[in-house]
């Protein structure tokens, strides 16, 4: 049984104003906007086990032509000696 859940959703963006582009590059400022979307879900399955999932979507058009997508899953175990 799942006892505790925590989640977060964030969206960040940064639009350059008047960026200097290479000759022949006709993208406008909105097309050069950096976007970063993050979703994280953490569930405490038992007192000693928790599971986390994180999804990241990043777009940086001035650095890379493709959208970057990352999935991260982790399981954490805790043990107390005292």
């Amino acid at each position: 049984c799942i006892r505790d859940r925590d989640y977060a959703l964030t969206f960040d963006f940064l639009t350059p104003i008047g960026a200097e582009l290479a000759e022949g590059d006709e993208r406008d400022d909105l097309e050069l906007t950096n976007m970063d979307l993050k979703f994280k879900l953490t569930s405490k399955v038992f007192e000693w086990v928790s599971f986390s999932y994180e999804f990241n979507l990043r777009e940086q058009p001035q650095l890379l032509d493709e959208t970057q997508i990352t999935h991260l899953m982790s399981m954490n175990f805790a043990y107390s000696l005292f």
Side-chain angles (χ1 to χ4, degrees):
C1 67
I2 298 175
R3 296 182 181 173
D4 190 22
R5 282 190 196 139
D6 187 29
Y7 56 90
L9 177 65
T10 59
F11 179 70
D12 297 318
F13 64 93
L14 178 64
T15 302
I17 298 174
E20 294 184 22
L21 302 174
E23 190 174 321
D25 191 351
E26 297 182 9
R27 296 180 289 178
D28 63 8
D29 291 342
L30 289 178
E31 291 175 316
L32 296 174
T33 299
N34 293 337
M35 291 183 281
D36 195 8
L37 173 71
K38 295 180 182 180
F39 172 73
K40 185 172 183 176
L41 173 67
T42 303
S43 295
K44 193 168 191 177
V45 181
F46 297 106
E47 190 172 318
W48 51 276
V49 177
S50 63
F51 175 77
S52 296
Y53 170 74
E54 188 171 330
F55 172 81
N56 294 320
L57 184 136
R58 178 173 287 169
E59 189 168 316
Q60 296 175 314
Q62 291 183 350
L63 298 177
L64 189 62
D65 291 336
E66 297 180 11
T67 301
Q68 303 170 50
I69 297 176
T70 306
H71 299 275
L72 175 66
M73 289 184 277
S74 65
M75 188 168 283
N76 300 316
F77 299 92
Y79 181 74
S80 297
L81 293 174
F82 303 101

